[in-house]
Amino acid sequence: AIYMLVFIFINSWSVMKPMRLLAVFVHEFGHASACWMTGGKVKKIEVYDNEGGITGYSGGWKCCVIPAGYVGGAFWGGAFVAMSGSRVGATIVACLIIFSLFLSLFHEPNKTVVFLSVGFGILLITFVVIEWVVFHPLLEYITLFFGVFIGVYSVKDIYDDLVTRTAEGSDAVACHQMWPFCHPRCVGVQFWLIAFCFQVLGLYLALVFMVSNDE
């Protein structure tokens, strides 16, 4: 709850821009992951300073790749929150983020992705070392913040970009082009509901894991 309040009050501050760009990266990596899992090839992963991004790919199942950006960002946000309930889970989250950032460097990253990969990579490696060598608990709070920020950012992003308006070139419009019977805003509402459920489920599982660890 505290992290959500932090997000609400300081999300728009310039000091939080690296976190917003990381959330955009998770969105784009969601597209990339779905492409790989359905047999496609990822050509490039880019994140822009204006908090937009693009994933260039060929092949794969578009019906899976296109929704995997917004929905994938919300899923990983919820998953990070759930896994932050234990020391091992938090370490796995940190390693997943580090691995994803490292992997993106092999797919024609632009300057912003390189900066994100180096900056957050060094930061998270430092936190992992501190967690296991110097001080505990620390990493659980860090990954919980990452999860809450990425998850809430995804929910807000879906509402702003897909529910309140129809933006040309958006994932919702792309879904509408595949399934003409489904209006872009209807797609946005479906994305939002799924994203919201991921956050609730992530919070519930985090509490369950914390209680089980205490026992």
Side-chain angles (χ1 to χ4, degrees), residues 116-140:
L116 286 174
S117 299
V118 174
F120 278 105
I122 293 173
L123 191 65
L124 287 170
I125 290 172
T126 302
F127 284 138
V128 170
V129 172
I130 293 174
E131 170 72 24
W132 289 93
V133 177
V134 181
F135 176 78
H136 167 75
L138 171 67
L139 195 59
E140 290 97 320

Side-chain angles (χ1 to χ4, degrees), residues 28-210:
E28 297 305 330
F29 200 82
H31 288 306
S33 300
C35 179
W36 285 319
M37 288 190 291
T38 56
K41 181 180 179 181
V42 175
K43 299 177 180 178
K44 65 179 179 179
I45 300 174
E46 295 183 350
V47 173
Y48 306 127
D49 285 340
N50 65 357
E51 297 174 29
I54 188 170
T55 300
Y57 68 95
S58 60
W61 299 351
K62 284 189 175 182
C63 59
C64 294
V65 176
I66 293 173
Y70 286 107
V71 175
F75 168 79
W76 285 114
F80 292 168
V81 169
M83 296 172 71
S84 68
S86 70
R87 189 182 194 185
V88 173
T91 304
I92 292 172
V93 169
C95 291
L96 283 172
I97 297 174
I98 293 168
F99 175 75
S100 300
L101 290 166
F102 177 75
L103 186 59
S104 70
L105 295 177
F106 296 92
H107 295 85
E108 299 183 17
N110 64 339
K111 199 175 295 185
T112 304
V113 171
V114 173
F115 288 153
L116 286 174
S117 299
V118 174
F120 278 105
I122 293 173
L123 191 65
L124 287 170
I125 290 172
T126 302
F127 284 138
V128 170
V129 172
I130 293 174
E131 170 72 24
W132 289 93
V133 177
V134 181
F135 176 78
H136 167 75
L138 171 67
L139 195 59
E140 290 97 320
Y141 294 107
I142 300 298
T143 55
L144 176 61
F145 175 72
F146 276 44
V148 170
F149 191 98
I150 292 169
V152 177
Y153 182 94
S154 298
V155 172
K156 180 180 180 299
D157 204 30
I158 292 170
Y159 182 79
D160 290 343
D161 292 350
L162 307 183
V163 177
T164 61
R165 64 191 178 98
T166 299
E168 287 300 323
S170 70
D171 293 348
V173 171
C175 286
H176 170 68
Q177 290 170 348
M178 287 191 296
W179 301 295
F181 57 86
C182 198
H183 190 274
R185 288 196 180 183
C186 291
V187 174
V189 171
Q190 293 173 57
F191 283 2
W192 189 90
L193 290 172
I194 294 171
F196 182 80
C197 288
F198 279 148
Q199 307 322 301
V200 174
L201 180 60
L203 179 59
Y204 171 76
L205 291 176
L207 293 173
V208 169
F209 293 151
M210 288 174 67

